[in-house]
Amino acid sequence: MCHISGVVIAAGQPVLEEEYMSDRIANAQLRSKVMTADEAAQFVNHGDKVGISGFTGAGYPKVLPTAIAERAKEAHAKGDEFMIDLFTGASTAPDCDGVLAEADAVRFRTPYQSDPIMRNKINDGTSFYADYHLSESGMYVQQGFFGRMNVAIVEAVRITEEGHLIPSSSIGNNVEYLDAAEKIIIEVNSWQSEELEGMADIWRNNPLPNRVAIPITEPGQRVGTPYIDIDVNKVVAVVETDLQDRNAPFKPLDEQSKQIAGHFLDFLEGEVAAGRLTYDGYRMQSGVGNVPNAVMSGLLDSKFENIQAYTEVIQDGMVDLIDAGKMTVASATAFSLSPEYAERMNNEASKYRESIILRPQQISNHPEVIRRLGLICTNGLIEADIYGNVNSTNVIGSRMMNGVGGSADFTRNGYISSFITPSDAKGGAISAIVPFVSHVDHTEQDVKVIITEYGYADLRGLAPRQRVEKIIALAHPDYRPLLEEYYDRALKAATERKTLQTPHDLATAFSFHQRFQETGTMKLS
Amino acid sequence: MCHISGVVIAAGQPVLEEEYMSDRIANAQLRSKVMTADEAAQFVNHGDKVGISGFTGAGYPKVLPTAIAERAKEAHAKGDEFMIDLFTGASTAPDCDGVLAEADAVRFRTPYQSDPIMRNKINDGTSFYADYHLSESGMYVQQGFFGRMNVAIVEAVRITEEGHLIPSSSIGNNVEYLDAAEKIIIEVNSWQSEELEGMADIWRNNPLPNRVAIPITEPGQRVGTPYIDIDVNKVVAVVETDLQDRNAPFKPLDEQSKQIAGHFLDFLEGEVAAGRLTYDGYRMQSGVGNVPNAVMSGLLDSKFENIQAYTEVIQDGMVDLIDAGKMTVASATAFSLSPEYAERMNNEASKYRESIILRPQQISNHPEVIRRLGLICTNGLIEADIYGNVNSTNVIGSRMMNGVGGSADFTRNGYISSFITPSDAKGGAISAIVPFVSHVDHTEQDVKVIITEYGYADLRGLAPRQRVEKIIALAHPDYRPLLEEYYDRALKAATERKTLQTPHDLATAFSFHQRFQETGTMKLS
């Protein structure tokens, strides 16, 4: 059945492929803009600032990036320049970030990325990358901090008769880019279920100085419209696609992930025992990955009921919690599902939209709402130091991994902010606990709980020196003596200097990292 | 004239000193609790968690700290333990933090302090100090993160017939401590003008999970009551005082401060030219100090009108702007005035309360309101690195200065977040620009503008490598070659390793700090 008002195609009636596709473009003016991706890519020029849809591999444009990459390659073959500034929601996919990076077509990239080729181009100096909090990147566009946005390229499930966009599997910064851009290109993707309609909740604040309170006081509240209203006169092209999102499978739960999840649940039980949490109405945020999915798997068998997520992305584990009746609502800005779960979501979107809400990332990650709701937040990390500072972005101080994402939006403003991580990486060559983190994304003031397979450290109310023992106990046993040795040395120097707030020996603060650079492992050889 | 309802003392009528004092205690039950400071101090025991009023030397208890310090000294003389955990709004004074620290009576201190003796006791290891954002410290007490609060000691201008407290020259965390503590001690200070009544705006959110939006959409909005309602049955003592706040004079404007202020105003003019700011209704936050006061002095002669402050403390410069009709409203949580201005405030409180509002620090510094209002924020720093990370707290990585205060509340959430600082300190021995900051309080994602006497660096929209040249240009010329040399070395290593996002040479990242430790200056000898 089709959604175009005034047109009814009886179920089972054969339709031509082309007619079926254009069912999804109900606005006459925009139907006239349908063209191929190659034709649409002509609207994107060298030097343009291009804001696209896409968040954790969901809802990104599927064909324009390749077409733009082809333009860049052709220009480069002729010796001409062709690079764009690429703004997204967050990470996209090989057929988006990947193809553009591979064509050396990205001069500047913000805010979050995880594509291997894009990452390499950032680290080899081809592309500039500016890391911003996901709640702020769209706001900066609204505030004019990047200058004029030339083109917005946004995937939609369908276009209504009025010319409104029904968002697909992510909202991200779509609203900000569509509002700000001079030209709009829409990809209408028929792979995305039309029944996603009703899942989105689009709400814009007034421009400064007239911003009002965001009217969300519960994770499940809907405050806006299920569509994005756009200026149809800015639309220069509509392209039809039927390609699926990048949906990466999660690894099966391993023993270590289960241990970490177990410690996290122990921590929650302790909060219940202390009267700071109840089994009913636990409000959560969770980063993406295998360990967070293990936590959600643990919640399935826990005493917690009426769990509510106000988070960034919907993961497999949340779908399981919803199916089990343990989670009553999940608010996010995007899906990040395995292929199996993505198919289920597409088939049963009309069921899931009862309990899932997708919001603009400025709202899903907004400090105002996060602090108001009282979320228990859980994110991953690259490394933490013995005083509780956390590095989420730069490997060995210099190499960008993915970016800070929304982790700081949630960590700074959450009711309790925790980090979960295996104690080591790269087969033991890298310790997650180091003397001094080589980049800081979460300051000691913000980090409340750290959890590894060896337990949890509750840092609340502790001065730096009081945290050290608890944090070293989380390290892999191979690294504990090295960390203790560092702390002893730092303590001795600081006692002499009377600088005992945060004892450090700056000469050896980065000794773990330097050893890794020199020998390939942070361990003593 | 006196404010007690039902009691009128004609102007000029002679009253006994004692009667005059008790004018300010209109509640009969609390009048019966009047006693000396030494008597009241008996309610404070070893191991107690004590939450007191006081913020930037304003509105702190004037006599209880000394009486508690005496108890501690007596106990120590007998070989007994006596230490308390001390919670404040922010910094207090020698007769508060100072006397308690001097008596070794403070086991744990949070959140912000600046008393020289307190600071020394933290750094020599006598006292533990936990640094928290000023918007969060009171919230953590509400959330039970520190355990049970035993005693609240709060200064008031007067106690109403109903037993409400009229706050004095700071609000700080008074509400949170009074709500949470088992016992309350009130200091009624007759030095504080009774006409401060009406300046405070006390608003509490609901406890979780029922928090609502904070109903402030303009800096000047009043949303609460001019008094703090307390549980009078928890009051164990009322002590009368007449001692003045610690009000430190500002230094006269020097040439360097004027230069920094000039660059800040140039930056503002550039924002107006770019259409991101208007001359009417500029909304500001400002840290405390001589350079911020120079900025306000610069605003006096600027084209900006209808300036509105939503900030942490009211400083001399704001009073001047109000007097000149340039500033229409100033919202804060405390005064931080020179003695001359404090006297003026006390004499003319009824005039100034038309345009000055004092709020709980959880509200004055709340991310929700800060982000909503669109503030241009200006704070100081200890050091910034070549990529824009900022250290506000730990000198040479280890020694606590004062704490992060509210700087991160405003920096993370401001419309534009700037840092202003002289390019060097200690007669040139310390550079404000270093290769790698020795502690991070403000991450590179949050720092948008840095200003020294050599100009301003607008970092918005720039990747780390794009920031370096701009930031090095802010350094003192003596340090620029050393910084360039570091960057060249880091760039070379990162080019080889393909880790060009944030090039660092970890072996020499702290070379400036190590040189200072070894030779007393960051300069090459």
Side-chain angles (χ1 to χ4, degrees):
Chain A
M1 147 167 185
C2 113
H3 283 248
I4 306 168
S5 54
V7 180
V8 176
I9 299 170
Q13 183 179 333
V15 287
L16 293 175
E17 180 66 10
E18 198 183 336
E19 282 177 346
Y20 172 72
M21 292 286 282
S22 51
D23 265 12
R24 293 191 173 209
I25 307 167
N27 178 278
Q29 185 179 345
L30 299 187
R31 279 173 88 104
S32 75
K33 301 284 185 183
V34 173
M35 62 185 74
T36 67
D38 289 340
E39 287 166 342
Q42 303 305 313
F43 292 105
V44 179
N45 298 311
H46 168 66
D48 275 358
K49 295 184 204 306
V50 181
I52 70 170
S53 61
F55 199 109
T56 52
Y60 60 92
K62 304 295 188 295
V63 292
L64 256 294
T66 300
I68 296 166
E70 288 304 319
R71 285 202 65 190
K73 284 192 219 171
E74 283 165 27
H76 298 164
K78 283 190 243 167
D80 295 337
E81 289 186 312
F82 195 106
M83 289 186 116
I84 61 170
D85 290 3
L86 183 63
F87 299 70
T88 67
S91 59
T92 67
D95 47 338
C96 185
D97 263 301
V99 289
L100 287 164
E102 201 274 334
D104 288 342
V106 182
R107 188 198 71 91
F108 175 87
R109 178 72 172 81
T110 198
Y112 182 91
Q113 46 70 42
S114 70
D115 180 80
I117 304 174
M118 185 75 250
R119 184 188 295 133
N120 284 342
K121 294 292 180 179
I122 287 167
N123 287 304
D124 75 11
T126 305
S127 304
F128 285 111
Y129 170 69
D131 195 18
Y132 290 116
H133 307 299
L134 292 185
S135 78
E136 299 190 349
S137 52
M139 189 174 73
Y140 293 163
V141 169
Q142 292 174 320
Q143 293 174 177
F145 288 1
F146 300 107
R148 201 155 54 171
M149 185 70 46
N150 302 99
V151 188
I153 307 174
V154 170
E155 182 180 271
V157 163
R158 75 176 187 98
I159 301 172
T160 71
E161 197 173 358
E162 301 85 352
H164 298 156
L165 305 189
I166 304 301
S168 70
S169 48
S170 72
I171 313 295
N173 283 324
N174 292 356
V175 175
E176 291 86 342
Y177 298 155
L178 289 162
D179 284 353
E182 298 166 314
K183 291 178 274 187
I184 295 173
I185 299 171
I186 304 165
E187 287 197 5
V188 177
N189 185 348
S190 59
W191 175 81
Q192 301 277 10
S193 167
E194 284 193 288
E195 309 223 313
L196 288 173
E197 185 166 347
M199 212 173 255
D201 186 61
I202 306 299
W203 185 89
R204 282 179 185 85
N205 211 327
N206 300 328
L208 279 172
N210 300 311
R211 283 187 193 146
V212 298
I214 301 171
I216 298 172
T217 51
E218 291 180 9
Q221 216 170 332
R222 290 184 178 278
V223 297
T225 61
Y227 56 80
I228 306 175
D229 54 317
I230 61 169
D231 178 352
V232 291
N233 295 317
K234 296 201 298 186
V235 178
V236 295
V238 177
V239 177
E240 293 172 314
T241 73
D242 61 356
L243 297 168
Q244 64 182 6
D245 280 339
R246 175 215 75 184
N247 292 299
F250 287 102
K251 283 185 242 163
L253 286 189
D254 59 12
E255 204 45 47
Q256 192 185 54
S257 297
K258 283 186 202 165
Q259 283 169 348
I260 298 170
H263 296 308
F264 180 78
L265 287 162
D266 285 350
F267 171 76
L268 290 188
E269 289 287 346
E271 289 303 289
V272 173
R276 291 186 291 257
L277 189 65
T278 61
Y279 287 121
D280 179 60
Y282 164 50
R283 289 175 175 174
M284 65 172 288
Q285 173 266 343
S286 173
V288 188
N290 292 301
V291 180
N293 255 320
V295 167
M296 284 178 267
S297 179
L299 283 168
L300 261 183
D301 302 321
S302 73
K303 293 186 193 161
F304 291 93
E305 300 287 345
N306 182 24
I307 302 170
Q308 301 166 22
Y310 194 88
T311 190
E312 203 173 275
V313 295
I314 306 291
Q315 302 169 67
D316 288 8
M318 292 177 196
V319 176
D320 290 338
L321 285 166
I322 290 170
D323 288 348
K326 297 284 273 186
M327 179 172 278
T328 46
V329 69
S331 165
T333 192
F335 290 110
S336 180
L337 300 171
S338 67
E340 178 200 336
Y341 280 69
E343 197 184 327
R344 200 200 298 178
M345 188 56 61
N346 244 354
N347 292 336
E348 302 179 61
S350 63
K351 181 184 96 182
Y352 286 112
R353 75 185 175 216
E354 301 296 315
S355 42
I356 292 177
I357 302 175
L358 297 184
R359 309 182 189 272
Q361 72 190 62
Q362 191 175 152
I363 306 300
S364 67
N365 285 30
H366 204 291
E368 171 176 339
V369 184
I370 295 167
R371 190 168 291 199
R372 184 180 303 150
L373 294 179
L375 306 177
I376 297 188
C377 301
T378 316
N379 289 284
L381 54 70
I382 289 174
E383 58 186 10
D385 68 26
I386 57 172
Y387 298 113
N389 300 282
V390 164
N391 174 10
S392 297
T393 57
N394 280 254
V395 179
I396 315 289
S398 298
R399 185 172 197 275
M400 176 52 55
M401 181 64 85
N402 302 330
V404 72
S407 61
D409 292 323
F410 288 98
T411 295
R412 171 72 60 85
N413 298 295
Y415 171 59
I416 302 173
S417 295
S418 68
F419 287 86
I420 52 178
T421 180
S423 69
D424 62 9
K426 299 226 174 223
I430 288 183
S431 174
I433 311 294
V434 295
F436 198 118
V437 286
S438 60
H439 189 270
V440 177
D441 297 286
H442 307 289
T443 66
E444 55 160 309
Q445 296 96 350
D446 294 337
V447 177
K448 301 304 191 300
V449 184
I450 303 176
I451 304 169
T452 71
E453 70 272 28
Y454 295 106
Y456 67 82
D458 181 355
L459 309 176
R460 290 174 295 175
L462 300 182
R465 288 199 317 286
Q466 298 174 299
R467 300 172 201 151
V468 175
E469 194 183 346
K470 288 173 184 275
I471 295 177
I472 291 180
L474 303 178
H476 190 281
D478 289 355
Y479 285 107
R480 287 180 207 166
L482 292 170
L483 291 162
E484 284 158 4
E485 198 183 289
Y486 174 82
Y487 181 61
D488 289 346
R489 186 165 57 242
L491 199 59
K492 188 157 169 275
T495 303
E496 281 165 21
R497 293 193 183 106
K498 294 195 195 299
T499 59
L500 278 163
Q501 172 67 11
T502 319
H504 269 302
D505 174 52
L506 294 179
T508 58
F510 292 136
S511 52
F512 280 42
H513 305 87
Q514 289 173 257
R515 204 151 51 228
F516 180 83
Q517 284 179 332
E518 286 156 17
T519 70
T521 175
M522 288 183 173
K523 289 181 188 169
L524 286 176
S525 49
Chain B
M1 137 162 192
C2 116
H3 283 248
I4 305 168
S5 54
V7 180
V8 177
I9 299 170
Q13 183 179 333
V15 287
L16 292 175
E17 180 66 6
E18 198 183 336
E19 282 176 347
Y20 174 73
M21 292 285 281
S22 52
D23 264 12
R24 293 192 173 212
I25 307 166
N27 178 278
Q29 184 178 343
L30 299 186
R31 280 173 88 104
S32 73
K33 301 286 184 182
V34 173
M35 62 185 75
T36 67
D38 288 341
E39 288 165 341
Q42 302 304 315
F43 292 104
V44 179
N45 298 310
H46 168 66
D48 276 357
K49 293 184 205 307
V50 181
I52 69 170
S53 61
F55 199 109
T56 51
Y60 61 92
K62 305 294 187 296
V63 292
L64 256 294
T66 298
I68 296 166
E70 288 304 321
R71 286 203 65 191
K73 283 191 218 168
E74 283 165 25
H76 298 164
K78 284 190 239 162
D80 295 336
E81 287 185 314
F82 196 107
M83 290 187 115
I84 61 170
D85 290 2
L86 183 62
F87 300 70
T88 66
S91 58
T92 66
D95 48 337
C96 185
D97 263 301
V99 289
L100 287 165
E102 200 275 334
D104 288 342
V106 181
R107 188 198 71 91
F108 175 87
R109 178 74 172 81
T110 198
Y112 182 92
Q113 46 69 43
S114 70
D115 180 80
I117 304 174
M118 186 74 251
R119 185 189 293 131
N120 284 342
K121 295 292 180 178
I122 288 167
N123 287 304
D124 75 10
T126 306
S127 304
F128 285 111
Y129 171 69
D131 195 18
Y132 290 116
H133 307 298
L134 292 184
S135 78
E136 299 189 349
S137 53
M139 188 174 74
Y140 293 163
V141 169
Q142 293 174 321
Q143 293 174 178
F145 288 0
F146 300 106
R148 202 157 50 170
M149 185 71 43
N150 302 99
V151 188
I153 307 175
V154 170
E155 181 180 272
V157 163
R158 75 177 187 98
I159 301 172
T160 71
E161 198 172 359
E162 302 86 350
H164 297 156
L165 305 191
I166 304 302
S168 70
S169 48
S170 72
I171 313 295
N173 283 325
N174 292 357
V175 175
E176 292 85 343
Y177 298 155
L178 289 162
D179 284 353
E182 298 165 315
K183 291 179 273 188
I184 293 173
I185 299 172
I186 304 166
E187 287 197 6
V188 176
N189 186 347
S190 60
W191 176 80
Q192 300 277 10
S193 167
E194 285 193 287
E195 309 224 313
L196 288 173
E197 185 166 348
M199 212 173 253
D201 186 61
I202 306 299
W203 185 88
R204 281 178 185 87
N205 211 328
N206 301 327
L208 279 173
N210 299 313
R211 284 188 194 145
V212 298
I214 300 170
I216 297 172
T217 51
E218 290 180 12
Q221 217 170 329
R222 290 185 178 278
V223 297
T225 61
Y227 57 80
I228 306 176
D229 53 316
I230 61 169
D231 179 353
V232 291
N233 295 316
K234 296 199 300 187
V235 178
V236 294
V238 176
V239 177
E240 293 172 314
T241 74
D242 61 356
L243 296 167
Q244 63 182 7
D245 280 339
R246 174 214 76 184
N247 291 300
F250 287 100
K251 282 183 245 165
L253 288 188
D254 60 12
E255 202 47 45
Q256 192 184 53
S257 297
K258 283 187 201 164
Q259 283 168 348
I260 297 169
H263 295 309
F264 179 78
L265 287 163
D266 284 350
F267 170 75
L268 290 188
E269 290 285 347
E271 289 303 288
V272 174
R276 290 187 290 258
L277 190 65
T278 61
Y279 286 121
D280 180 60
Y282 164 52
R283 289 176 175 173
M284 64 171 289
Q285 173 266 343
S286 174
V288 189
N290 292 302
V291 180
N293 255 321
V295 166
M296 282 178 270
S297 179
L299 283 168
L300 261 182
D301 302 320
S302 73
K303 292 185 194 162
F304 291 93
E305 299 288 344
N306 181 26
I307 301 170
Q308 301 165 23
Y310 194 88
T311 190
E312 203 173 276
V313 294
I314 306 290
Q315 303 169 66
D316 288 7
M318 291 176 196
V319 176
D320 290 338
L321 285 166
I322 290 170
D323 288 347
K326 297 283 273 186
M327 178 173 278
T328 46
V329 68
S331 164
T333 192
F335 290 111
S336 180
L337 299 171
S338 66
E340 176 199 338
Y341 278 69
E343 197 184 328
R344 200 199 299 178
M345 188 57 60
N346 244 353
N347 292 336
E348 301 180 61
S350 62
K351 179 183 99 183
Y352 285 112
R353 75 185 174 216
E354 300 296 314
S355 41
I356 292 177
I357 302 175
L358 297 184
R359 308 181 190 274
Q361 72 191 62
Q362 192 175 153
I363 305 299
S364 68
N365 286 29
H366 204 293
E368 170 175 340
V369 184
I370 294 168
R371 190 169 291 198
R372 183 181 303 150
L373 294 180
L375 306 178
I376 296 187
C377 301
T378 315
N379 290 284
L381 53 71
I382 290 175
E383 58 186 11
D385 69 25
I386 57 172
Y387 298 114
N389 300 282
V390 165
N391 174 9
S392 297
T393 58
N394 280 256
V395 179
I396 316 289
S398 297
R399 185 171 196 275
M400 176 52 56
M401 180 64 85
N402 302 331
V404 71
S407 61
D409 292 324
F410 287 98
T411 296
R412 171 73 60 85
N413 298 295
Y415 171 60
I416 302 173
S417 296
S418 67
F419 287 85
I420 52 178
T421 181
S423 68
D424 61 10
K426 299 226 174 226
I430 288 183
S431 174
I433 310 295
V434 295
F436 198 118
V437 286
S438 60
H439 189 271
V440 177
D441 298 286
H442 309 287
T443 65
E444 54 160 309
Q445 296 96 352
D446 293 339
V447 177
K448 301 305 190 301
V449 183
I450 303 175
I451 304 169
T452 71
E453 70 273 27
Y454 294 106
Y456 68 82
D458 181 355
L459 309 176
R460 290 174 295 174
L462 299 183
R465 289 201 315 286
Q466 297 175 299
R467 299 172 201 150
V468 175
E469 192 183 345
K470 288 173 185 277
I471 295 177
I472 291 181
L474 302 179
H476 189 281
D478 288 355
Y479 285 108
R480 287 181 208 166
L482 292 169
L483 291 163
E484 283 159 4
E485 197 184 291
Y486 174 80
Y487 182 60
D488 288 347
R489 186 165 56 244
L491 198 60
K492 188 155 168 278
T495 304
E496 280 165 21
R497 293 192 183 107
K498 294 197 193 305
T499 59
L500 278 163
Q501 172 66 14
T502 319
H504 269 303
D505 174 54
L506 294 179
T508 58
F510 291 136
S511 53
F512 280 41
H513 305 86
Q514 289 174 258
R515 203 152 50 229
F516 179 83
Q517 284 178 332
E518 286 156 18
T519 69
T521 175
M522 289 184 173
K523 289 181 189 170
L524 285 177
S525 49

